[in-house]
Structure formats: structure tokens, C-alpha cells
Amino acid sequence: CVRSDTPSSVSRPIARDFHPIAQVFWLGKMLASSLRAKGCKGTTVARATAATTTTGGWTPRTTTRVAGSRAGGTSAKNGAWIRTSRRGASRNQTAMSVQLSQDELKKQAAWKAVEYVKSGMRVGLGTGSTAAFAVARVGELLSNGTLTDIVCVPTSVATQQQAESLGIPLATLDEVPKLDVAIDGADEVDPALNVVKGRGGALLREKMVEMASDSFVCIVDETKLVSGLGGSKLAMPVEIVQFCWKYNLERLRSLEEVAGCEAKLRMDGDAPYVTDNSNYIVDLYFEEPIKDSYAAAKAISALEGVVDHGLFLDMVTTCIIAGSDGVIVKEK
């Protein structure tokens, strides 16, 4: 099909006869010819053409619903990606999209946890990526006057520094020995709301603060849910004194209550990792969930040289779980 009214001696095909991509270039060419006929400069045409050109790479498309955005609760979906023209670093960019989605869910769970904090309370502040959102929220509510007259006890040097930067009033258990609520994350959560904590290295202070609290609000994402503690096959930490650490590592490995575990000294580069309390950490790894967490906790604590362990049993009163389907609150 050709145009019969064109002044040119060369017949031009109609745009609809081209492939859709070719149509774009054909129409651009026609636009350029028209502009030149009207005396427009080439730079104007170049800018108009550039505006419609897609560059190589990947374009994200995400849909997220957050708490309070609409009636019925909270839900979110991980990001999907659309390739526009050329192959790119899709794995890293997809991982970034998923991570952003998980962080948004953690933030919503943390904000939900802060709803348990009321003016006049004494509050324990946890350690870790999820707890950091809660600390930030407490600082925000203090700043805008929603919360007043609260005092917080941090569970690590890192949390103390974050809280100080936000102007949150701080104290220690020496000054405030009884707390109303503690908010913290966890590394594993079983169906009974028993948890493993301490992969961030703050297990001793976390346990002290949370045992001193009337309630312990635990915040996790759904990847932390396990059928039994130790079931993630990741570290269950035990804080030990530096003195004769190899001796204590071998004794931990030999305990019948944790039979079959692998015991490793936690390292920080080429040197042993040192906690805020100047201790070492031995990480225990399990192929199967611990058969009896209570017996394991008792046996580990009975060893001289053990400061504390990452089994937090019968401590959580409320667990807030952030997942792909939203935020769930479980009360014990």
C-alpha cells in the first residue's frame, strides 16, 4: 500500500505496514523532515528523538501496600522487573528490589511494635536491622510530641549511638531496673515463640534488658520462622570469656544436649570477634533442630566460662511477623 499524494517521486509505505518498533523510527524520520521543512534547527529534532529513546538496562515495577494504607490490614509484594532492551546485571538489581521490599515490611512491623510504647514508659531498645527501625520511630514520636516522658535502655553500643543521635533519653539497668516493654528482633522463632538471638553479638545485654521488661515485643520477617530452634542451620551463639576459649569451645561441642553440632569461634577478619562486654562468641551450627531447647540451655549455662547463650525461652510475649502477605501479630 503506497501514498498517492506524496510529492516525492519515491513512494513511501504507510506507518501501519511496519513492525511496531519500526513505526517509531519511521514516524521520527517523518517528524524530522516536517520540522526541517518549517525551518527548525537540528538540535530541536535531536532532543525530541532522544526523549523517546529507551536506554539499555532493567526497569523496576513494584506494588506495595503498607500498614494503614487501606482498610483490612497490610500486604506487600516483592518487586518484579521488566527488561527494556539489553541484558544487564539482573541478579543484583532483582536482589535489591527484594531487599527494599523486605526492609519496608520490617519498617512496618517495627512501627507496629512501637504502638506498644506509651508516654511515661521505660523501654528497652533492641539491636539489629529491624530494631533500628523501631528506635528511629521512637525518636520521631518523641520529636513530634506524640510520646513524652519516656526513658530507654539500649542493648548495645550501636543502639546507644543511634538513640543518642535522635535525642532519646537513655539510662542503664542500674538506674532503671524495671522496664515496661522491650522491642527487639530475633534470628529464629519457633511455634511456641521461643527464639534464638545474638547473631549480631549483643545477646548478653539483650537478654538482661528483656528479662527486666514486663513485656517483650519481638519483630521478625517470615524467613526467621522455624519448626524448631537451630532449624535454620545458622549460628546459635554462646558468649564465653576469652580465657581458655578453646577449652570451652570443646566442652560446648561435647555436650550431649547439643550432640552433633559444629562449634566455631566467631571471627572478625583475622581476629576473634569481641562483644561489647569484651567476650568471645562460639557459634553452634545444627543440621537438625535442637531436640530439647530447655535441656540445651541448662547444660550450656552450667559450664564455667560461659557468660550466656542465644536461646531466649519463654520470654517473648508478642511477636510481630512481617511477610509477603503483610504483618501478623501473635500474642503468647
Side-chain angles (χ1 to χ4, degrees), residues 249-281:
L249 184 150
E250 290 302 326
R251 290 205 298 164
L252 285 167
R253 192 202 313 270
S254 301
L255 284 175
E256 181 180 351
E257 289 80 0
V258 293
C261 76
E262 183 178 7
K264 294 182 178 180
L265 181 69
R266 184 177 297 188
M267 302 297 290
D268 184 8
D270 296 330
Y273 174 87
V274 179
T275 70
D276 289 342
N277 314 297
S278 300
N279 296 315
Y280 287 170
I281 288 181

Side-chain angles (χ1 to χ4, degrees), residues 125-306:
L125 299 178
T127 297
S129 61
T130 308
F133 285 119
V135 176
R137 180 61 170 167
V138 169
E140 178 184 347
L141 295 179
L142 277 170
S143 178
N144 65 26
T146 303
L147 285 178
T148 59
D149 189 31
I150 69 168
V151 175
C152 297
V153 177
T155 56
S156 67
V157 171
T159 299
Q160 177 183 341
Q161 292 172 344
Q162 182 191 7
E164 287 175 341
S165 72
L166 296 169
I168 298 174
L170 298 179
T172 67
L173 290 177
D174 287 338
E175 300 160 311
V176 185
K178 191 65 175 175
L179 305 178
D180 297 293
V181 62
I183 300 174
D184 204 353
D187 302 308
E188 294 181 3
V189 182
D190 74 7
L193 301 188
N194 291 320
V195 304
V196 167
K197 290 181 50 58
R199 288 178 192 155
L203 63 153
L204 175 60
R205 296 190 187 190
E206 288 172 334
K207 188 172 285 188
M208 290 177 66
V209 168
E210 284 142 24
M211 286 295 292
S213 302
D214 289 339
S215 61
F216 172 18
V217 181
C218 182
I219 319 167
V220 297
D221 65 75
E222 62 187 355
T223 64
K224 305 299 175 63
L225 304 180
V226 295
S227 60
L229 300 185
S232 69
K233 299 186 179 181
L234 299 176
M236 196 288 283
V238 180
E239 188 163 346
I240 64 171
V241 296
Q242 293 191 30
F243 177 71
C244 295
W245 66 265
K246 290 182 181 179
Y247 166 73
N248 278 318
L249 184 150
E250 290 302 326
R251 290 205 298 164
L252 285 167
R253 192 202 313 270
S254 301
L255 284 175
E256 181 180 351
E257 289 80 0
V258 293
C261 76
E262 183 178 7
K264 294 182 178 180
L265 181 69
R266 184 177 297 188
M267 302 297 290
D268 184 8
D270 296 330
Y273 174 87
V274 179
T275 70
D276 289 342
N277 314 297
S278 300
N279 296 315
Y280 287 170
I281 288 181
V282 172
D283 287 319
L284 305 183
Y285 297 86
F286 301 87
E287 285 299 317
E288 301 291 338
I290 301 170
K291 292 181 180 179
D292 187 338
S293 296
Y294 293 90
K298 183 177 180 180
I300 292 170
S301 296
L303 296 179
E304 302 83 5
V306 167

Side-chain angles (χ1 to χ4, degrees), residues 98-115:
V98 172
Q99 184 60 49
L100 287 172
S101 179
Q102 288 176 342
D103 283 348
E104 181 62 28
L105 287 169
K106 288 180 180 181
K107 179 180 178 181
Q108 298 305 318
W111 282 33
K112 180 64 177 177
V114 175
E115 293 179 10

Side-chain angles (χ1 to χ4, degrees), residues 65 72-78 101 105 222 321-328:
R65 290 202 310 246
T74 304
S75 65
K77 294 183 180 179
N78 291 336
S101 179
L105 287 169
E222 62 187 355
I321 304 164
S324 56
D325 293 328
V327 175
I328 299 172

